[in-house]
Amino acid sequence: MIAVWHCQGVTSPSTAGAVRQGSLRELNLAVVLRRIATADRPPSRAEIAAETGLTRATVSAVVDDLIGGRLVAEAGPAPRTGAGRPARGLVLAGDGPAGLGLEVNVDYLAACVVDLAGTVRHHVVRRADLRPVSPADALARLAALAADARAAAARQGLTLAGAALAVPGLVDAGGLVRLAPNLGWRDVDVPALLAGHRLTEPVDGVPPLVVENEANLAALGELHAGPPGSASFLQISGEIGIGAGIVLDGRLYRGARGWSGEIGHIPVHPEGRPCRCGGRGCLERYAGQEVVLAAAGLAGADLPADTAATRLAELAAAGDPATRTALADAGTALGVAVAGVVNLLDLDTVVLGGGYAPLAPWLRPPVVAELSRRVLTAAWSPVTVRPAALGARSAAVGGAASVVRRIVDRPVGWLAHSG
Amino acid sequence: MIAVWHCQGVTSPSTAGAVRQGSLRELNLAVVLRRIATADRPPSRAEIAAETGLTRATVSAVVDDLIGGRLVAEAGPAPRTGAGRPARGLVLAGDGPAGLGLEVNVDYLAACVVDLAGTVRHHVVRRADLRPVSPADALARLAALAADARAAAARQGLTLAGAALAVPGLVDAGGLVRLAPNLGWRDVDVPALLAGHRLTEPVDGVPPLVVENEANLAALGELHAGPPGSASFLQISGEIGIGAGIVLDGRLYRGARGWSGEIGHIPVHPEGRPCRCGGRGCLERYAGQEVVLAAAGLAGADLPADTAATRLAELAAAGDPATRTALADAGTALGVAVAGVVNLLDLDTVVLGGGYAPLAPWLRPPVVAELSRRVLTAAWSPVTVRPAALGARSAAVGGAASVVRRIVDRPVGWLAHSG
DNA sequence: TCATTTAATTCAACCGTTGAACAAATTGCG
DNA sequence: CGCAATTTGTTCAACGGTTGAATTAAATGA
């Protein structure tokens, strides 16, 4: 007989999930804060008690802690009809912790600050061609943007509790950028290069800097900012390479080694065009930006990535036949690859982000056509294909939002810091 | 500014995760039981305290509850060297709850019983061609096997706490089999058809019957029974169609509507052979069992699925060139599709299950070859391709194990039942 | 035989939730 | 305008369960 309890790969936290006496309050702080964060309008203590099953006494005590720690504030009492003491609404504080989102891409650097409520309080994009620049230099420039963002946050009464950096490549745990081909980076230890810069305040339980693939952070941004409805979706970002952020059941899926999302190397013509990855017939050889530019007669123009997308959108909007054909062919190839993914993962939404977002009007029809004919369940349940809600800044915003999410998921770290 | 707290698709349990006074003991029962279940050798109370961070007093009290509820038993004290009170080892009880695993497939019915320790205590496969049989009839025959299994369990002092049924098709939440093409089933309400049969004892928190796709349950079985090492893998099952169970980060991934795993409809030649799904060039038209049988000269033999796989394995082992070429071609197509999946999902293990398991010696080399040339990270981190550890009974065992897993994850349901 | 060591049990204290009681703040009716 | 009714928020003694320390149990080895 074969034992089935050797569960593989799942490593437990150090206390293995044990619930200590102190865990009660810690977890209930998170539950109540989450309830305030996700409410459609400011809830009262009594409403929170009704929804969570905790008593009004407990909710009152927990809310006292959250108010004391500047995570929550009271709104004015709501006007009411009928007898009864007016309820005090509770909202997320606008002057407590915030997340710092950073991004290095081929032709720009970005920094933004997102507060607890998810509001973007600062956002700067600095244009620069970063391919000829060393990683140390690029990160030094980024640190300057981060310092500006930190100062701007302080002026607004916000404390940066952590940072997340988006890069266009494969990132190991620990922040080592294994390969970012578009930047020419290989084995770049980003945390080490940024170690001399104080980006944020130390908060227990929040790593000071998380380095993550930009498609993954963009998907996180989209998860929170997108229209309601889908907890599983694919967000595709098409530049030279084609990457994807994958959200399954409301959570970002990073893969066994953190290298998920390489949709550009799905074979769409198995013995087709050679690819720089060593394979043949990869999606990026049929729907990558270089291919579309060449087919549109723009090969060798050496445009920055987002300028290239804008240029293609302008040509397509003007009715240029070569550009429209190139985008239709790219959309068809993309549709073939995505159809396979949808069949395998049973996704109901596909988001066109990155360089594909401005080209969505011309990419979407052939993608939808391929999905209609190749997805097994398409007749019952069509797949939604839409452009990204956040547009170009989704990676930095997603990164900042992920920092803020850690505070909401575990408020005691912040409360210990500020109390 | 765009709010990011409208988190979509994640529905909370009724108390929204609030931790009540009673939650302490409930959660710690689960923590301690999990520790006993996953230990390499019987742990003592002191060891459990050291590993979980709970005090020895608390662990002692929790273990008293688990022993009283017949979930845990004490082993004899271990011989020790040096002074000190000998420790009493703790093991999962062999005479408490068990799970019932059931399976309906094209040419057989199966029932098995798995106890808390994961040991298979009863397993029966009844051969029958179920395609001409109505769903009601097929399920009536299955209920008879289940009654036999229940009696056998009772004779061994086991109580069946829930059942899981594996079917070869798309299953909605609630157990409606939307489509099982190989059985000719469409919109079959399995729980309603089995409602007149008492399969198991009612246990709080354990659904009496879960209906699930067989590739998914097979993957669950493999997750627990497979060799240590991978929390993310794809388990492929090739019969007429080709399905997959997907395990990501230690959890079964079912998809937005529960219809994940349709790897057979990944396009490998976009304008290739027409498929019955309406698309062209789908994997199942290149690597499905019917295609391999035809290429091996066995078309029209109308063999049962697993007999067909056995027959193909015999021919290949005997060196039949047509069979070997057919398997090599199928392996190549399979490798192309799987390479795309591995690039997207960053998996490090692929398991050949179902009808592919006996053919693994001939399928594996071309699959590995395609992965080597098409997976972006293959040079750094090769993908493991291996046959399934559980073989043909993995779906029923996986189903039974998932029932048992619910007991271990929430022992208070069982304790309330038996106390 | 007894000191030493380790495991398991017992115990009073503490933390945080709890249900009930009480206080506060309204509306609406007579 | 006064007051009953109603709802929200706060206070309080009690309780459940964990806790750290003390005690008991069960061995080994000098």
Side-chain angles (χ1 to χ4, degrees):
Chain A
M1 303 303 192
I2 304 168
V4 299
W5 282 114
H6 292 281
C7 192
Q8 288 82 31
V10 180
T11 46
S12 302
S14 63
T15 55
V19 185
R20 319 296 304 273
Q21 190 65 42
S23 306
L24 273 173
R25 180 52 61 98
E26 174 169 332
L27 289 165
N28 284 333
L29 283 163
V31 164
V32 170
L33 187 57
R34 169 58 51 90
R35 179 63 53 165
I36 294 167
T38 56
D40 290 331
R41 51 164 188 75
S44 66
R45 294 162 177 80
E47 284 172 326
I48 294 171
E51 285 154 3
T52 60
L54 294 167
T55 63
R56 291 195 306 252
T58 299
V59 173
S60 187
V62 170
V63 166
D64 282 349
D65 285 350
L66 294 171
I67 290 175
R70 287 165 54 233
L71 293 175
V72 157
E74 283 188 318
R80 61 172 301 137
T81 60
R85 181 174 171 174
R88 297 300 298 265
L90 299 162
V91 295
L92 294 171
D95 64 344
L100 174 63
L102 302 169
E103 185 176 2
V104 178
N105 218 313
V106 167
D107 51 357
Y108 65 91
L109 300 169
C112 78
V113 173
V114 174
D115 67 14
L116 269 183
T119 307
V120 178
R121 303 283 289 265
H122 174 85
H123 186 257
V124 163
V125 179
R126 181 70 47 79
R127 291 207 164 285
D129 186 353
L130 293 160
R131 286 173 289 187
V133 175
S134 73
D137 241 355
L139 294 170
R141 296 188 204 188
L142 186 72
L145 282 194
D148 290 345
R150 192 175 178 201
R155 286 197 292 276
Q156 303 180 55
L158 295 166
T159 303
L160 295 183
L165 167 61
V167 297
L170 301 177
V171 188
D172 274 353
L176 181 71
V177 178
R178 274 316 265 280
L179 181 66
N182 300 350
L183 285 173
W185 289 14
R186 181 184 285 274
D187 289 334
V188 174
D189 190 343
V190 170
L193 289 169
L194 286 171
H197 302 275
R198 174 73 169 265
L199 304 177
T200 61
E201 300 299 315
V203 171
D204 183 49
V206 182
L209 176 67
V210 168
V211 186
E212 176 64 77
N213 174 269
E214 55 88 33
N216 284 342
L217 289 181
L220 273 186
E222 196 67 21
L223 172 61
H224 293 303
S230 178
S232 299
F233 63 89
L234 190 70
Q235 170 148 339
I236 308 174
S237 175
E239 275 79 30
I240 297 175
I242 310 178
I246 308 171
V247 171
L248 303 177
D249 294 334
R251 294 169 62 197
L252 181 73
Y253 173 70
R254 298 189 74 253
R257 293 147 301 194
W259 302 335
S260 67
E262 291 300 331
I263 193 172
H265 297 286
I266 288 182
V268 292
H269 292 283
E271 300 310 318
R273 300 168 188 167
C275 186
R276 65 203 165 88
C277 77
R280 299 181 78 97
C282 296
L283 176 66
E284 81 168 30
R285 300 296 291 121
Y286 294 86
Q289 200 172 65
E290 284 183 336
V291 171
V292 177
L293 286 170
L298 291 170
D302 200 27
L303 297 163
D306 65 342
T307 307
T310 303
R311 188 82 179 99
L312 286 169
E314 287 167 354
L315 286 167
D320 180 64
T323 303
R324 288 203 173 185
T325 300
L327 290 172
D329 290 346
T332 298
L334 194 56
V336 167
V338 168
V341 174
V342 168
N343 277 321
L344 182 73
L345 296 182
D346 185 33
L347 302 174
D348 58 19
T349 302
V350 172
V351 177
L352 299 172
Y356 282 154
L359 301 172
W362 301 280
L363 287 172
R364 189 175 173 281
V367 168
V368 167
E370 290 301 322
L371 293 176
S372 295
R373 73 190 262 244
R374 295 180 185 279
V375 171
L376 194 66
T377 55
W380 302 326
S381 197
V383 177
T384 299
V385 181
R386 62 173 178 78
L390 278 176
R393 63 185 180 172
S394 53
V397 170
S402 72
V403 171
V404 157
R405 180 63 180 263
R406 284 182 192 272
I407 302 286
V408 173
D409 284 350
R410 189 177 175 269
V412 287
W414 167 264
L415 293 177
H417 155 274
S418 69
Chain B
M1 300 304 193
I2 306 169
V4 300
W5 281 114
H6 291 281
C7 192
Q8 289 81 31
V10 180
T11 46
S12 303
S14 64
T15 55
V19 185
R20 320 298 303 274
Q21 189 64 41
S23 305
L24 271 172
R25 180 51 60 97
E26 175 169 332
L27 289 164
N28 284 333
L29 284 162
V31 164
V32 170
L33 187 57
R34 169 57 53 89
R35 179 63 55 168
I36 295 166
T38 57
D40 290 332
R41 48 162 188 77
S44 66
R45 292 163 176 83
E47 283 171 328
I48 293 170
E51 285 153 5
T52 60
L54 294 167
T55 64
R56 286 182 313 213
T58 299
V59 173
S60 188
V62 169
V63 166
D64 282 350
D65 286 349
L66 293 171
I67 291 176
R70 288 166 52 238
L71 293 175
V72 157
E74 281 188 318
R80 61 174 300 142
T81 60
R85 181 173 170 173
R88 298 298 299 263
L90 298 163
V91 295
L92 294 171
D95 65 343
L100 174 64
L102 302 169
E103 185 177 1
V104 178
N105 217 311
V106 166
D107 52 355
Y108 63 91
L109 299 168
C112 78
V113 172
V114 173
D115 67 13
L116 268 183
T119 308
V120 177
R121 304 283 290 264
H122 173 86
H123 185 258
V124 163
V125 178
R126 180 71 45 82
R127 293 209 165 282
D129 185 352
L130 294 161
R131 285 174 289 189
V133 174
S134 74
D137 243 356
L139 292 170
R141 297 189 204 187
L142 186 72
L145 282 195
D148 290 346
R150 191 174 179 202
R155 287 195 292 276
Q156 303 180 55
L158 294 166
T159 303
L160 295 184
L165 167 61
V167 296
L170 300 176
V171 187
D172 273 353
L176 180 70
V177 179
R178 278 311 268 277
L179 182 65
N182 300 350
L183 285 172
W185 288 14
R186 179 183 286 273
D187 289 334
V188 174
D189 190 342
V190 169
L193 289 170
L194 285 171
H197 303 275
R198 174 72 168 268
L199 304 178
T200 62
E201 300 301 314
V203 170
D204 184 48
V206 182
L209 176 67
V210 169
V211 186
E212 177 63 79
N213 175 267
E214 56 89 31
N216 284 343
L217 289 182
L220 275 185
E222 195 69 21
L223 172 62
H224 292 304
S230 178
S232 298
F233 63 89
L234 191 69
Q235 170 149 340
I236 308 175
S237 174
E239 275 79 30
I240 296 175
I242 310 176
I246 308 170
V247 171
L248 303 176
D249 294 334
R251 293 169 62 196
L252 181 74
Y253 174 70
R254 297 191 73 254
R257 292 149 299 196
W259 302 333
S260 67
E262 291 300 330
I263 194 171
H265 297 287
I266 288 183
V268 293
H269 291 282
E271 299 312 318
R273 300 168 188 168
C275 185
R276 62 200 168 92
C277 77
R280 299 183 77 99
C282 297
L283 177 66
E284 80 168 31
R285 300 297 292 119
Y286 294 85
Q289 201 172 64
E290 286 184 334
V291 172
V292 177
L293 287 169
L298 290 172
D302 201 27
L303 297 164
D306 64 342
T307 307
T310 303
R311 187 82 177 99
L312 285 169
E314 288 166 355
L315 286 167
D320 179 65
T323 304
R324 288 202 173 185
T325 301
L327 290 172
D329 289 345
T332 298
L334 194 55
V336 167
V338 168
V341 174
V342 168
N343 276 321
L344 182 73
L345 297 182
D346 186 32
L347 303 174
D348 57 17
T349 302
V350 172
V351 177
L352 299 172
Y356 282 155
L359 301 173
W362 300 280
L363 287 173
R364 188 175 175 280
V367 168
V368 167
E370 291 301 321
L371 292 176
S372 296
R373 73 191 262 245
R374 295 180 186 278
V375 170
L376 193 67
T377 55
W380 301 327
S381 197
V383 177
T384 299
V385 181
R386 61 171 177 80
L390 279 176
R393 62 186 181 169
S394 55
V397 170
S402 73
V403 171
V404 155
R405 180 63 181 262
R406 285 182 191 269
I407 304 285
V408 172
D409 285 347
R410 189 177 176 270
V412 289
W414 168 264
L415 292 177
H417 156 274
S418 70

